[in-house]
Amino acid sequence: MSRVVRVAAAQLGPIQRDQSRTQVVERLVSLLRAAAADGASLVVYPELALTTFFPRWWVEDLREADHWYEREMPSAATQPLFDEARRLGVGFHLGYAELTPDGERYNTAILVERDGRIVGRYRKVHVPGHERHEPDRPFQHAERHYFTPGREGFGVWRAFGGRIGMMICNDRRWPESYRLMGLKGVEMILCGYNTPLHYVPDPSQDRLQAFHNGLVMQSGAYQNGTFVVGVAKGGVEEGVDSLADSQIVGPSGEVLARTSGNGDEIAVADCDLDWCRNYTGTLFDFDRYRRPEVYGPIASQRGVILEDG
Ligand code: CDT
């Protein structure tokens, strides 16, 4: 039986602060319809796809930020997306800010099957940026103020005829993210991102944003024999220019499809999940070649320990 999944990376252009959820959901539905017309069965949206990237502003009291978070999913505003996806028989991956009944705040993504069921939920593990106000910056990246790191780790779910994993933005820069899913037999990793082109702590990296984005996703895909679908919210949002360059990477590490602009746009590729075995059954046959007995510090040690004291 064929295990080809036609996937659409549904990149978003900027979402300005005054755009309502209803307006954003209309954009998501337009992309969904375009993807469905192109034969896609899975549509992947970016990180924090319902709002502007609000961690760029500081608020002392987080309760003032409650309006950026979703308390339930689907919500009244997102129900039209769920309804249209089910009608079209298309599943999706959606990133958003989650506020739980216990008052916890997570940077979250869900996986929705073609029949409208939420089959997976992932809460961002590697939360970047800073936890305190840094008023000298041109803009904040205070994700560590707004979000608690996810405690559930990296899941892999049986869906779309294969094994699907999720990660969010900064997770893609860490090899552990891919490997933990690789050890669960992942065949496709979905990842939304918001990556400002200007990296305030070290502007020498600005010109390398697209290079680093491709570097990490292509190597993560190849080293784990998995597809990686990376989807941006790009363009100039509230004065901050962000990387677009959404792409679908195969288990060979090759880019199969990518967006060309920095606005709302889809890039589509046929992903044959059986292709993963060419890598996980040969060069990256984990069971045969991995050496966990010498990898201990990866799981137990956080920072660098110099052996020469
Ligand atoms: N959203 C997110 O995780 N963005 C980071 C920006 C760099 S850290 C300030 C990223 O890794 O792309």
Side-chain angles (χ1 to χ4, degrees):
M1 200 185 74
S2 161
R3 293 207 303 138
V4 177
V5 184
R6 186 165 254 230
V7 179
Q11 174 177 288
L12 286 171
I15 300 175
Q16 307 304 349
R17 187 180 186 132
D18 60 4
Q19 272 222 303
S20 68
R21 296 281 204 291
T22 304
Q23 289 171 314
V24 175
V25 169
E26 280 169 13
R27 288 169 61 184
L28 301 181
V29 168
S30 293
L31 290 168
L32 183 88
R33 289 186 179 137
D38 216 343
S41 59
L42 172 58
V43 177
V44 183
Y45 297 110
E47 173 193 36
L48 299 179
L50 297 174
T51 62
T52 199
F53 189 77
F54 59 86
R56 73 168 60 90
W57 295 292
W58 184 261
V59 289
E60 201 62 47
D61 182 348
L62 280 178
R63 285 172 301 187
E64 285 172 38
D66 281 357
H67 62 103
W68 298 121
Y69 295 77
E70 311 303 314
R71 292 171 188 272
E72 55 182 358
M73 192 57 67
S75 56
T78 54
Q79 190 64 54
L81 174 66
F82 280 75
D83 292 345
E84 187 64 355
R86 201 170 108 173
R87 190 183 73 78
L88 294 168
V90 175
F92 64 92
H93 160 101
L94 178 74
Y96 62 94
E98 177 191 7
L99 179 55
T100 72
D102 298 343
E104 296 272 27
R105 297 164 193 274
Y106 296 107
N107 189 337
T108 296
I110 50 169
L111 180 61
V112 180
E113 255 290 9
R114 290 154 286 186
D115 59 6
R117 277 177 306 126
I118 296 175
V119 292
R121 183 194 65 206
Y122 167 71
R123 291 167 171 163
K124 187 174 184 176
V125 166
H126 298 101
V127 179
H130 49 102
E131 40 279 283
R132 298 196 203 297
H133 191 205
E134 297 189 6
D136 292 339
R137 284 174 164 256
F139 54 89
Q140 305 292 299
H141 196 110
E143 276 195 68
R144 293 172 73 85
H145 178 54
Y146 284 96
F147 299 117
T148 300
R151 298 186 181 90
E152 296 157 349
F154 293 94
V156 170
W157 293 270
R158 281 197 180 273
F160 299 90
R163 293 184 292 273
I164 312 292
M166 293 187 271
M167 61 185 180
I168 299 178
C169 195
N170 191 259
D171 290 322
R172 77 195 188 286
R173 303 186 193 272
W174 300 90
E176 293 87 349
S177 312
Y178 303 85
R179 182 62 98 220
L180 285 165
M181 289 185 265
L183 287 169
K184 295 183 179 184
V186 76
E187 294 172 314
M188 180 180 289
I189 298 176
L190 314 178
C191 178
Y193 57 89
N194 284 261
T195 297
L197 291 176
H198 180 39
Y199 182 57
V200 178
D202 177 17
S204 76
Q205 296 179 31
D206 294 2
R207 70 181 179 84
L208 299 169
Q209 290 293 358
F211 169 67
H212 287 157
N213 185 48
L215 181 71
V216 292
M217 294 198 294
Q218 290 181 253
S219 54
Y222 168 65
Q223 291 170 343
N224 294 279
T226 179
F227 289 87
V228 174
V229 183
V231 185
K233 173 135 65 67
V236 182
E237 191 180 86
E238 297 293 340
V240 178
D241 201 1
S242 290
L243 180 70
D245 210 15
S246 305
Q247 52 199 274
I248 301 174
V249 183
S252 60
E254 293 166 285
V255 176
L256 309 177
R258 68 180 349 138
T259 52
S260 56
N262 62 2
D264 292 11
E265 180 183 345
I266 57 167
V268 176
D270 283 325
C271 300
D272 183 351
L273 301 180
D274 287 337
W275 189 14
C276 299
R277 282 296 296 167
N278 287 64
Y279 292 87
T280 59
T282 58
L283 197 68
F284 296 115
D285 180 341
F286 288 177
D287 204 30
R288 185 165 183 196
Y289 297 118
R290 287 186 75 253
R291 297 286 314 285
E293 61 275 26
V294 300
Y295 301 157
I298 288 178
S300 60
Q301 184 180 319
R302 189 153 171 176
V304 173
I305 298 175
L306 299 177
E307 295 203 333
D308 56 2

